[in-house]
Amino acid sequence: MKIAVLIKYCPDSEAAINVVSGKLDTSSAKFSVSPYDEYACEEALKIIESQGSGEAVVFNVGPEKNGKGLRDELARGADRAVHIVTEKEITCPEFTSRLLAAALKQENPDLILCGWKGIDYDLGITGTKVAEKLGIPHVMVVSKLTIADGKAICTRQVDSGDEIIEVPLPAVIGAQKGLNEPRYPSLKGIMKAKKKPASQITPAQLGVEEPTGKAMYTGFTFPPSKSAGKKFEGPESVVEVVRLLREEAKVI
Amino acid sequence: MDISCDNRMVREMARDFARNEIAPIAAQMDEQGHLDPGLIPKMAELGFWGIPWPEEYSGAGMDVMSYIIAVEEISRVCGSTGITLAAHTSLGTYPIAAFGTEEQKKKFLPPLCSGEYLGAMGLTEPGAGSDAGGTKTVAIRNGSDWILNGTKTFITNSEYAGSFVIAASTDPPAKTHGITAFIHERDIPGFRVGKHENKLGLRGSSTTELIYEDCRIPDSQRLGEVNKGFKVFMKTLDGGRISIGALALGIAQGAFNEALKYSQEREQFDQPICNFQGVQWMLAESATKLEAARHMVYHAARLYSRGESYHREAAMAKLFAAVAGREVCNDALQIHGGYGYIKEFPVERMYRDIKLCEIGEGTNEIHKMVIARSLIKDGYPRHDFE
Ligand SMILES: Cc1cc2nc3c(=O)[nH]c(=O)nc-3n(C[C@H](O)[C@H](O)[C@H](O)COP(=O)(O)OP(=O)(O)OC[C@H]3O[C@@H](n4cnc5c(N)ncnc54)[C@H](O)[C@@H]3O)c2cc1C
Ligand SMILES: Cc1cc2nc3c(=O)[nH]c(=O)nc-3n(C[C@H](O)[C@H](O)[C@H](O)COP(=O)(O)OP(=O)(O)OC[C@H]3O[C@@H](n4cnc5c(N)ncnc54)[C@H](O)[C@@H]3O)c2cc1C
């Protein structure tokens, strides 16, 4: 089974992000593969291990430096990388998904795994758009996945219980936390990653142009800083808490 | 700092692993006085026990810098695990990789590199510490075997070790010119692991005596030539010093991280204590010491990787990182005030752990001796005299 994994290379969840005159400044941030995409890659490796054979191909769209993210996944165990190299970071999911869909068409994977959203812009749309462009089904926010008889059986946790959804393959599945516990890249894996095939293609080679008339980010601001919280202890403070909730916070 | 892509990946992996798998159990391992039994196999799965050795012996085939970075990262959260890795690699495995015959390498390196068992090295004796040439353990030739009698002390990793590289005198009057190195397995008649030391720090690591009573070791497990063993141990310690430098650097960086965070959270006089110049100066000096120590340790590792002489630089790096690291840990505890003295805060443990770096694999004084001898012989800096 050939499994494609779509990975995004984002500022680390602990990275400090600055806003400079309405623009994001990530120049001092450490980048890493978005955690949801790590679940996706781990799931691909587990499926291949349980089936005894297969190929996991990791895909990324973005500037040269994103190659590091692809190499991290090769070190974890992915077999091959395809890097669609752009000059700058692409923040338009329509463009990203057109590029990915074009590259995926050339590869014809049996299954496409991705994170259900990136931890940077929190859009949660690229996987869905890729499925639409390829004309195949998709299930997002999946926390359990079983592959059998050309089908994917997906579990989605909802407030009141679990939804079980079955789709025929190929399909795009978006990983949610809880799907698995991603492995660490082993030291031998890090050495092997260097020798694994990694190809680079440009948007022009894929024949994809930047869409026009798309939504664009026009500015970023930080939320207003919160004032320090108040601490109440002991049953005797209940009356005071209720009074403050009513009079100060005006929530009851 | 200028490190390769592999080095960066090792750092990230080791940091994640240390944070998720070791940090949560570090205080407990210190308290109980031994490593968590699951930790050695977990580290084995990822290849930690064979980082710089060739793949043909089940190593990861990486450079020494990757190994040094792994020791540093692990030591940031747990010095006990850090010294276990450092002693296993630099003391227990290196002499076999560097001086072993092909047969010895094939026999011992794969289980060492894959973490099937750990390695230990026994040089120190109750009466022979700084003066390691004063080894009293004797080996007497008996047919194709050697019969050993004596006691080694303070030997790291003994509890987990499956192989031991040890020094014995084969010609006592010749002192350092009468020492021979041997390798032996754990379960052999006449050998036993003695009492576990109750230590100030690095309490999770294993430190014991080794006792030899008419213990028979075949000549095929002699490491290097007869009476040429002292060199084996001196060369082993040269490399070991880089790893103790990395241990000191890691422990001190871990303590500093705690202090920097604490100083921003702790409020006294209605403000975070990092606002006070007295605290700021401790932070600034500590970070500067760490920066210098890191440059020196990495420099020695690079010289090693490039196949250049690293004898003096390794000694300087270890001495500086140990002294500066102990000072950094002291300031980190000071910044925590009374809380730094309490076991709930990891700086308390780090302050105890780092002291060993000024003693193990040669005390500060012995390092100054080593450095001074090399200055007198080769001049300083090296290139001025070439
Ligand atoms: C936790 C731990 C782990 C260890 N692991 C190992 C191991 O795995 N393998 C191993 O072989 N050993 C190991 N050691 C032993 C360690 O290398 C010795 O403790 C160290 O070399 C010092 O020897 P000593 O303890 O006998 O002190 P001594 O040599 O008795 O020194 C006492 C003091 O005298 C000073 N001194 C001695 N000679 C001189 C001199 N000529 N000039 C100036 N000052 C001098 C020393 O610097 C020191 O301050 C370990 C020790 C510890 C504590
Ligand atoms: C074992 C033990 C026994 C104790 N026994 C007693 C006892 O019997 N009775 C009792 O009342 N207390 C006792 N104490 C508490 C002790 O007096 C305090 O821990 C000490 O005064 C420091 O206060 P703190 O721990 O809150 O540290 P903090 O005041 O939070 O200080 C943290 C750091 O900030 C620095 N700092 C704070 N303010 C400034 C400033 N303005 N400028 C520069 N630096 C600053 C401090 O020097 C320190 O390095 C004990 C503490 C311990 C650990």
Side-chain angles (χ1 to χ4, degrees):
Chain A
M1 183 169 207
K2 183 177 189 176
I3 306 177
V5 183
L6 316 182
I7 66 155
K8 192 166 193 185
Y9 199 55
C10 308
D12 194 85
S13 54
E14 284 163 25
I17 307 285
N18 294 318
V19 174
V20 182
S21 48
K23 285 199 170 123
L24 287 184
D25 173 19
T26 56
S27 54
S28 59
K30 178 177 162 282
F31 277 66
S32 58
V33 174
S34 181
Y36 298 105
D37 302 340
E38 290 188 350
Y39 301 129
C41 190
E42 175 65 28
E43 197 65 14
L45 300 179
K46 283 175 71 175
I47 292 168
I48 289 167
E49 280 161 6
S50 73
Q51 297 190 344
S53 70
E55 187 188 23
V57 190
V58 280
F59 289 76
N60 174 265
V61 176
E64 197 71 43
K65 74 166 195 304
N66 291 17
K68 286 183 183 168
L70 288 167
R71 204 168 136 181
D72 284 346
E73 297 315 308
L74 292 177
R76 281 206 168 81
D79 299 290
R80 184 156 63 84
V82 177
H83 187 179
I84 303 159
V85 185
T86 59
E87 251 168 63
K88 286 183 299 195
E89 186 202 357
I90 308 290
T91 54
C92 165
E94 176 60 20
F95 191 19
T96 307
S97 51
R98 281 187 196 178
L99 289 165
L100 286 169
L104 287 163
K105 265 186 198 145
Q106 300 181 351
E107 292 277 350
N108 264 318
D110 303 297
L111 171 66
I112 299 166
L113 287 162
C114 60
W116 80 273
K117 65 171 185 180
I119 56 154
D120 49 358
Y121 295 96
D122 264 358
L123 295 175
I125 190 140
T126 303
T128 306
K129 275 179 171 284
V130 166
E132 184 200 18
K133 290 182 182 22
L134 295 175
I136 58 175
H138 69 86
V139 188
M140 291 292 133
V141 208
V142 171
S143 55
K144 184 168 183 276
L145 176 64
T146 312
I147 303 291
D149 309 325
K151 286 179 296 204
I153 300 138
C154 313
T155 304
R156 282 163 48 98
Q157 281 176 344
V158 289
D159 281 348
S160 46
D162 284 350
E163 273 177 18
I164 319 276
I165 301 171
E166 193 181 292
V167 288
L169 295 180
V172 179
I173 310 293
Q176 163 68 318
K177 193 174 181 208
L179 182 62
N180 52 45
E181 200 54 59
R183 69 196 65 188
Y184 299 98
S186 73
L187 290 145
K188 286 182 189 176
I190 292 172
M191 291 304 275
K192 272 193 205 144
K194 279 191 284 200
K195 294 174 203 139
K196 288 181 177 174
S199 56
Q200 293 194 329
I201 4 174
T202 61
Q205 284 167 327
L206 288 168
V208 176
E209 279 178 24
E210 190 161 356
T212 51
K214 61 193 193 227
M216 288 200 323
Y217 287 99
T218 54
F220 295 91
T221 57
F222 278 118
S225 58
K226 286 187 204 141
S227 53
K230 287 181 187 156
K231 204 170 163 185
F232 302 93
E233 276 172 34
E236 63 280 4
S237 60
V238 169
V239 175
E240 178 66 359
V241 172
V242 171
R243 186 188 69 79
L244 288 171
L245 286 173
R246 194 184 306 263
E247 292 174 11
E248 244 181 43
K250 300 195 169 74
V251 293
I252 52 172
Chain B
M1 247 175 250
D2 174 33
I3 59 170
S4 73
C5 185
D6 287 350
N7 297 155
R8 178 194 66 82
M9 288 171 83
V10 171
R11 187 187 293 290
E12 280 176 18
M13 184 278 262
R15 185 171 299 179
D16 286 349
F17 180 81
R19 182 173 50 198
N20 300 335
E21 314 292 333
I22 306 179
I25 53 173
Q28 178 200 322
M29 296 195 294
D30 171 63
E31 193 82 20
Q32 296 177 347
H34 55 80
L35 288 188
D36 184 273
L39 189 55
I40 293 171
K42 248 190 208 171
M43 288 173 67
E45 246 172 67
L46 296 173
F48 274 111
W49 303 113
I51 303 174
W53 314 121
E55 286 167 64
E56 55 175 312
Y57 302 113
S58 309
M62 289 190 152
D63 62 0
V64 164
M65 183 67 90
S66 290
Y67 157 58
I68 287 305
I69 285 173
V71 172
E72 177 192 347
E73 287 300 330
I74 285 176
S75 305
R76 282 188 188 201
V77 307
C78 178
S80 292
T81 313
I83 195 182
T84 303
L85 176 60
H88 163 80
T89 311
S90 291
L91 303 185
T93 314
Y94 166 85
I96 304 176
F99 301 101
T101 62
E102 193 50 42
E103 194 190 330
Q104 289 167 342
K105 288 198 250 186
K106 279 206 179 101
K107 177 168 178 184
F108 290 104
L109 292 183
L112 284 166
C113 290
S114 61
E116 192 183 315
Y117 54 66
L118 298 193
M121 184 200 81
L123 178 61
T124 306
E125 298 185 358
S130 298
D131 181 17
T135 296
K136 296 281 180 302
T137 297
V138 287
I140 294 168
R141 185 94 198 207
N142 180 296
S144 62
D145 295 339
W146 295 84
I147 311 281
L148 273 78
N149 278 289
T151 301
K152 298 283 166 189
T153 193
F154 300 147
I155 308 309
T156 303
N157 285 351
S158 310
E159 201 184 319
Y160 313 108
S163 70
F164 298 78
V165 172
I166 58 145
S169 180
T170 37
D171 181 7
K175 301 263 309 184
T176 55
H177 300 289
I179 288 175
T180 303
F182 295 92
I183 323 169
H184 70 82
E185 288 114 316
R186 187 185 189 86
D187 294 316
I188 54 169
F191 167 71
R192 70 194 153 87
V193 170
K195 74 168 194 310
H196 177 91
E197 303 292 352
N198 188 6
K199 303 192 292 290
L200 169 76
L202 301 175
R203 293 175 51 81
S205 71
S206 152
T207 315
T208 78
E209 286 188 325
L210 307 179
I211 298 149
Y212 298 87
E213 289 163 328
D214 292 330
C215 175
R216 195 173 276 272
I217 297 177
D219 190 53
S220 62
Q221 284 179 202
R222 170 168 47 81
L223 185 61
E225 288 173 49
V226 176
N227 294 341
K228 297 277 166 64
F230 197 63
K231 257 201 206 132
V232 169
F233 292 98
M234 290 305 108
K235 196 79 187 123
T236 300
L237 290 178
D238 277 346
R241 284 175 183 142
I242 311 178
S243 72
I244 299 299
L247 174 70
L249 175 61
I251 297 172
Q253 179 73 53
F256 175 82
N257 291 350
E258 295 294 325
L260 181 61
K261 188 170 67 174
Y262 186 83
S263 72
Q264 288 161 283
E265 289 164 358
R266 173 70 170 172
E267 291 192 359
Q268 288 291 280
F269 305 99
D270 301 318
Q271 52 193 306
I273 58 168
C274 67
N275 284 359
F276 303 128
Q277 195 179 50
V279 171
Q280 290 182 353
W281 285 22
M282 286 195 265
L283 290 171
E285 285 173 1
S286 295
T288 306
K289 287 171 190 166
L290 287 170
E291 185 87 359
R294 183 165 291 111
H295 276 287
M296 292 177 78
V297 171
Y298 287 12
H299 176 58
R302 274 195 205 100
L303 290 174
Y304 182 121
S305 296
R306 291 203 298 252
E308 293 177 35
S309 156
Y310 56 92
H311 168 75
R312 180 201 295 166
E313 287 76 6
M316 286 176 160
K318 192 269 197 184
L319 173 64
F320 184 83
V323 175
R326 193 243 310 134
E327 292 166 357
V328 168
C329 288
N330 186 48
D331 281 351
L333 193 154
Q334 188 65 17
I335 288 170
H336 281 70
Y339 298 92
Y341 201 73
I342 307 295
K343 288 202 186 291
E344 268 70 22
F345 288 79
V347 286
E348 183 270 346
R349 167 170 49 87
M350 294 162 171
Y351 176 85
R352 287 184 285 109
D353 283 353
I354 199 151
K355 182 64 200 174
L356 181 273
C357 301
E358 293 192 292
I359 298 169
E361 298 193 34
T363 61
N364 287 352
E365 295 69 36
I366 294 304
H367 275 70
K368 289 178 201 174
M369 221 163 84
V370 166
I371 296 163
R373 275 185 192 152
S374 113
L375 303 179
I376 293 162
K377 181 162 158 273
D378 300 327
Y380 179 83
R382 230 188 300 185
H383 54 81
D384 283 5
F385 293 82
E386 265 162 13

